[in-house]
C-alpha cells in the first residue's frame, strides 16, 4: 500500500519535530507558572519564551500577547464591545466580512442587533467601498476582516481596510490564523489593532491560540474570569506544554518561510494547472492574490461529499471547505457570499499544501482526480 497523501493543511498541520520536542520537555516540569518557587519559575520561563517568540514574529510587544485555548477563543476574546484605542470612542457595533470564519461571524459578545456584514466581490475580496458606506452609517465600530480566507486562500486588503476603519474612528481586528507561517505578517505594518493566531495551523499542538493587541488598546473584557493569569485578561492555569509547542512552531515556521513560500507556490500552481487540464476544474479566487498553498475548486455536477470520500479511498486527505463545517451537508457560506450558486457552493473541494508536500504528492492527487473526475462527472 502506498503511503497516504495529506492535502488538508489549512485544517491542521502535522506537528513539527521542534514543537514535539519542546512539549515533551515541558511535560516533565511540575511547577505551576503562577507559583513563585523554582519549579514555578521554570514553567513561567517556558511560557514567557513562547510569548516572546510569537510577539517577535508578528511585530508586537510580549506583554500584549494573550494565550488562549484555541483560535476560536481568541476571536471571542477579541470581539468585545467597548474596545477603545488611543483615539476615538469605544466600539459600539461589530462589522464582519461575509467570508469570515464561523467564530467571527457569530459575533463574539456583541448582541445580534449590533452586528453587520461587509460584502465581498465575486473574487472573494472585501468590498472596500461597502466598508466605507457601512462605517459612515453608524457609531464607531470594531471591524473584523481575516488576513487570508481559510477556504479560497484569497488575501484580504487588511492594510487598506485599517486606514479606512481608523479614519472612521473604529478599530480593526484581523484573524491571521491562516496567514501565520505562510506569509510575512506584522501587526504594525498592516495597522491592525488586534490579531488572532492558532498553534496547530503552523505545526504546533491543537488546543492553543493567541490574541495579540497593540499598545494603547483598552476595554478588553475577559471571557474567562477567575485568577489573574495573562495579566487578568484570560483566567486559568496556562497550558505550559501546549504553549511551549506553539513557541517552537512559531520559530521553526518563520525560519523555513522564505524557502517554503516559493516551493509550495510552485507545487500549488502545478496541481492547479493539472486539475484544469484533466476535467476542466473551476478554481475560485484565482484572479486575486492567494495563499501560496491553497486551491478551492469544483466542476459542474461535482458533489463535495462524494469527492472527499473518493479522494480518501485513493489515499488522499482533502477537505470540502472549512474543517469546522466540513462534516455538515451545506453549501459553503464563503462561496455563497461570492455569488456562487448553491450547486457550486456545495460541490467545492479544498486542497492545501505544506512544508512536507512534494512533487510525488501532486502526481498522486492528479491521478486520483483523473479517475474520480471521469467517474463522478460522467453523467
Amino acid at each position: 500500500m502506498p503511503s497516504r497523501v495529506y492535502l488538508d493543511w489549512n485544517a491542521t498541520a502535522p506537528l513539527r519535530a521542534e514543537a514535539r520536542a519542546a512539549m515533551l520537555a515541558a511535560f516533565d516540569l511540575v511547577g505551576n507558572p503562577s507559583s513563585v518557587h523554582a519549579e514555578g519559575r521554570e514553567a513561567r520561563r517556558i511560557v514567557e519564551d513562547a510569548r516572546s517568540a510569537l510577539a517577535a514574529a508578528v511585530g508586537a510587544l510580549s506583554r500584549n500577547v494573550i494565550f488562549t485555548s484555541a483560535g476560536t477563543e481568541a476571536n471571542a476574546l477579541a470581539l468585545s464591545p467597548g474596545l477603545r484605542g488611543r483615539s476615538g470612542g469605544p466600539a459600539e457595533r461589530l462589522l464582519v466580512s461575509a467570508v469570515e470564519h464561523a467564530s467571527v461571524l457569530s459575533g463574539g459578545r456583541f448582541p445580534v442587533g449590533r452586528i453587520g456584514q461587509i460584502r465581498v466581490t465575486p473574487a472573494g475580496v472585501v468590498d472596500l467601498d461597502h466598508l466605507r458606506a457601512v462605517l459612515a452609517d453608524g457609531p464607531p465600530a470594531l471591524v473584523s476582516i481575516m488576513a487570508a480566507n481559510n477556504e479560497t486562500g484569497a488575501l484580504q486588503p487588511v492594510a487598506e481596510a485599517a486606514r479606512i476603519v481608523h479614519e472612521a474612528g473604529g478599530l480593526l481586528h484581523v484573524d491571521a490564523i491562516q496567514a501565520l507561517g505562510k506569509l510575512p505578517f506584522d501587526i504594525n505594518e498592516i495597522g491592525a489593532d488586534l490579531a488572532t493566531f492558532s498553534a496547530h495551523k503552523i505545526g504546533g499542538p491543537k488546543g492553543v491560540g493567541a490574541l495579540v493587541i497593540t499598545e494603547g488598546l483598552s476595554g478588553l473584557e475577559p471571557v474567562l474570569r477567575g485568577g489573574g493569569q495573562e495579566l487578568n485578561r484570560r483566567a486559568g492555569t496556562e497550558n505550559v506544554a501546549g504553549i511551549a509547542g506553539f513557541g517552537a512552531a512559531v520559530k521553526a515556521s518563520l525560519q523555513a518561510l522564505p524557502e517554503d513560500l516559493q516551493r509550495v507556490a510552485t507545487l500549488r500552481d502545478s496541481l492547479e494547472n493539472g486539475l484544469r487540464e484533466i476535467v476542466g476544474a473551476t478554481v475560485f479566487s484565482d484572479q486575486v492574490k492567494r495563499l501560496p498553498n491553497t486551491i478551492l475548486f469544483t466542476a459542474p455536477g461535482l458533489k463535495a461529499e462524494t469527492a472527499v470520500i473518493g479522494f480518501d479511498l485513493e489515499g488522499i486527505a482533502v477537505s470540502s471547505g472549512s474543517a469546522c463545517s466540513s462534516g455538515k451537508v451545506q453549501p459553503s457560506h464563503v462561496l455563497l457570499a461570492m455569488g456562487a450558486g448553491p450547486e457550486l457552493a456545495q460541490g467545492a473541494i479544498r486542497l492545501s499544501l505544506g512544508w512536507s508536500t512534494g512533487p510525488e504528492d501532486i502526481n498522486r492527487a492528479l491521478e486520483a482526480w483523473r479517475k474520480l473526475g471521469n467517474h463522478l462527472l460522467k453523467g
Side-chain angles (χ1 to χ4, degrees), residues 63-339:
R63 63 173 174 264
N64 292 330
V65 174
I66 306 161
F67 287 119
T68 66
S69 66
T72 290
E73 187 196 334
N75 282 335
L77 178 58
L79 305 183
S80 180
L83 284 175
R84 186 191 294 266
R86 287 178 171 169
S87 61
E92 300 180 30
R93 57 186 175 133
L94 174 67
L95 301 174
V96 302
S97 89
V99 295
E100 296 299 306
H101 187 271
S103 62
V104 171
L105 288 174
S106 65
R109 288 166 286 171
F110 279 84
V112 174
R114 291 163 62 188
I115 303 172
Q117 277 199 7
I118 309 158
R119 292 194 297 261
V120 297
T121 69
V125 176
V126 168
D127 185 333
L128 295 179
D129 288 333
H130 188 239
L131 172 62
R132 290 187 183 92
V134 292
L135 282 170
D137 191 29
L142 172 62
V143 176
S144 185
I145 298 174
M146 58 183 15
N149 187 263
N150 49 307
E151 294 189 27
T152 65
L155 304 185
Q156 301 300 325
V158 288
E160 295 90 334
R163 287 192 288 270
I164 295 169
V165 170
H166 292 154
E167 287 173 1
L171 299 168
L172 179 68
H173 163 248
V174 174
D175 177 342
I177 288 171
Q178 290 293 342
L180 184 66
K182 297 171 187 169
L183 295 170
F185 182 90
D186 187 295
I187 191 170
N188 295 306
E189 285 185 5
I190 66 172
D193 299 287
L194 311 91
T196 42
F197 306 93
S198 180
H200 75 103
K201 304 296 187 181
I202 61 169
K206 302 173 185 68
V208 186
L211 169 64
V212 175
I213 62 176
T214 52
E215 195 74 358
L217 187 79
S218 62
L220 185 69
E221 291 292 331
V223 176
L224 300 178
R225 299 178 184 274
Q229 293 89 352
E230 300 300 296
L231 294 179
N232 293 305
R233 296 174 297 195
R234 198 272 185 185
T237 300
E238 292 91 345
N239 175 3
V240 177
I243 290 170
F246 194 176
V250 167
K251 293 176 183 178
S253 63
L254 274 254
Q255 183 177 4
L257 179 60
E259 179 182 346
D260 282 349
L261 196 154
Q262 185 56 54
R263 188 187 66 82
V264 170
T266 299
L267 291 173
R268 190 275 308 271
D269 291 345
S270 175
L271 176 57
E272 192 168 292
N273 292 334
L275 292 172
R276 286 193 175 100
E277 292 172 0
I278 292 169
V279 190
T282 297
V283 178
F284 296 98
S285 297
D286 60 337
Q287 298 303 309
V288 297
K289 292 181 179 179
R290 287 176 290 159
L291 290 172
N293 78 317
T294 304
I295 302 170
L296 185 70
F297 80 97
T298 191
L302 186 67
K303 300 298 182 184
E305 273 191 298
T306 307
V308 169
I309 293 170
F311 272 108
D312 191 42
L313 292 174
E314 293 294 320
I316 302 171
V318 304
S319 171
S320 59
S322 171
C324 300
S325 61
S326 59
K328 305 173 186 176
V329 184
Q330 61 184 14
S332 162
H333 75 278
V334 172
L335 296 182
L336 291 177
M338 292 165 58

Side-chain angles (χ1 to χ4, degrees), residues 10-26:
N10 284 9
T12 194
L15 189 67
R16 290 181 180 270
E18 296 89 343
R20 180 181 290 106
M23 292 171 68
L24 288 174

Side-chain angles (χ1 to χ4, degrees), residues 22 26 29 31-33 42-44 46-47 237-245:
L29 295 179
N32 185 313
E42 179 61 15
R44 172 56 55 190
I46 288 178
V47 170
T237 300
E238 292 91 345
N239 175 3
V240 177
I243 290 170

